[in-house]
Amino acid sequence: MDKVIKKWFPLFALPTFVAFSIAFLFPFFMGLYLSFCKFKVVTNTTFVWFDNYVKAFTANGDFLNALWFTTKFTIVSVISINIIAFIFAMLLTKSLKGTNVFRTIFFMPNLIGGIVLGYIWSMMINGVLLTWQSTITTDAKYGFWGLVILMNWQMIGYMMIIYISGIQNISPDLLEAAEIDGANGWQKLIHVTLPQIMPSITICLFLTLTNSFRLFDQNYALTAGAPGKQTQMLALDIYTTFYGRVGWQGVGQAKAVIFSILVAAIALTQLYLTRSKEVEN
């Protein structure tokens, strides 16, 4: 069987490799090349070396502001989403009535598109802020916490389902043994539950981290970067640079390459740390 698989593997893998090359490899390397060029259309480019990267960091400060805003938002969102989702998961794995109904209700926001969510929450938050003659775009802190609330509301249910799956796979014998040894609820949580659900924690951290860092549609619909682009995240900053300024397409592409490297580095670092923690446990 191994000989047959080795013999025919290239033939069956070829269509997938071709599709992967067309859909990912070619656009990636094309984008990497364009980040070193000045262009308006991809068929007419001028190689400018690192000028686009220099402009990305020094031209007007928008990129650095977006990076700092995105970093703050990601830290707050990752912590809040995972803590609340885990608490809900612990509650909904108890012997409570209507747990399936609550699971469905909490999961439903994840099915709604980001643009729709952004406009809905914009109307709700503005409805509250108008009491004080203000809107979500009046002050950057309103936009920041509005985005945090929206992201929590959308993703908590999804992460909760993943945590529930991990908790339900814990062997009852381990919990029973901990009780026999005299462990209280907190000790069982720290020494039994958390180590056993590390795969779920890895998945949830990866999803919340990457989704928060590359957030675009909710940011665009909720605040559109106002006021003064202070609530503009990295993805939205790249979009406005590429499509909003004539002759700045190369700078926008350079920002996109930097953005891709950051997302990949963060994801790989997080994956390495959580996997290391799993091995230790």
Side-chain angles (χ1 to χ4, degrees):
M1 180 63 69
D2 289 339
K3 291 181 179 179
V4 173
I5 292 175
K6 291 179 181 179
K7 179 180 179 181
W8 294 104
F9 175 79
L11 177 62
F12 288 101
L14 182 61
T16 302
F17 178 75
V18 171
F20 178 75
S21 300
I22 295 173
F24 179 78
L25 291 180
F26 177 74
F28 176 78
F29 287 111
M30 183 67 175
L32 185 61
Y33 167 74
L34 291 175
S35 69
F36 294 97
C37 298
K38 184 177 182 180
F39 65 96
K40 294 182 181 178
V41 293
V42 295
T43 56
N44 184 15
T45 62
T46 303
F47 202 76
V48 294
W49 294 98
F50 291 96
D51 287 359
N52 291 330
Y53 289 91
V54 174
K55 285 184 179 180
F57 286 102
T58 61
N60 49 28
D62 288 346
F63 186 67
L64 292 177
N65 290 335
L67 176 61
W68 174 235
F69 185 86
T70 303
T71 302
K72 291 189 298 182
F73 169 80
T74 300
I75 293 172
V76 174
S77 295
V78 169
I79 293 173
S80 58
I81 290 172
N82 282 280
I83 290 177
I84 298 173
F86 179 74
I87 292 173
F88 283 173
M90 291 293 292
L91 292 175
L92 294 179
T93 49
K94 305 295 182 183
S95 300
L96 301 175
K97 292 182 178 180
T99 53
N100 290 332
V101 175
F102 286 118
R103 292 177 189 180
T104 303
I105 293 173
F106 290 145
F107 181 78
M108 286 178 64
N110 188 70
L111 303 177
I112 305 175
I115 291 289
V116 176
L117 279 180
Y119 286 125
I120 291 174
W121 276 97
S122 177
M123 290 186 290
M124 291 193 297
I125 295 173
N126 284 334
V128 175
L129 292 177
L130 283 174
T131 306
W132 294 276
Q133 302 299 313
S134 184
T135 66
I136 196 170
T137 57
T138 302
D139 194 313
K141 66 175 178 288
Y142 297 150
F144 177 83
W145 290 110
L147 285 167
V148 170
I149 293 171
L150 187 157
M151 195 67 174
N152 274 259
W153 191 79
Q154 183 180 24
M155 295 201 66
I156 281 175
Y158 187 18
M159 300 303 109
M160 177 197 71
I161 296 298
I162 298 174
Y163 281 125
I164 286 175
S165 176
I167 293 171
Q168 290 180 333
N169 284 327
I170 299 175
S171 173
D173 295 338
L174 291 175
L175 297 173
E176 184 178 352
E179 291 180 359
I180 293 174
D181 290 338
N184 55 33
W186 178 254
Q187 290 171 327
K188 287 191 293 182
L189 174 65
I190 298 299
H191 298 290
V192 179
T193 302
L194 290 180
Q196 290 297 310
I197 65 167
M198 278 307 299
S200 297
I201 294 175
T202 299
I203 295 171
C204 289
L205 286 176
F206 176 80
L207 290 175
T208 51
L209 189 64
T210 54
N211 287 338
S212 297
F213 204 79
R214 59 185 178 85
L215 192 71
F216 170 76
D217 43 0
Q218 294 93 327
N219 183 210
Y220 180 80
L222 190 67
T223 67
K229 299 183 178 181
Q230 294 181 51
T231 59
Q232 189 167 262
M233 299 178 69
L234 281 175
L236 183 56
D237 177 65
I238 293 169
Y239 175 83
T240 55
T241 301
F242 196 95
Y243 293 103
R245 301 185 66 176
V246 177
W248 279 64
Q249 284 73 21
V251 179
Q253 189 61 47
K255 290 182 178 181
V257 171
I258 297 170
F259 179 64
S260 300
I261 294 173
L262 287 174
V263 172
I266 291 171
L268 291 174
T269 301
Q270 180 267 328
L271 186 62
Y272 171 77
L273 293 175
T274 51
R275 289 298 185 186
S276 300
K277 186 64 176 178
E278 288 180 33
V279 173
E280 291 176 5
N281 292 327

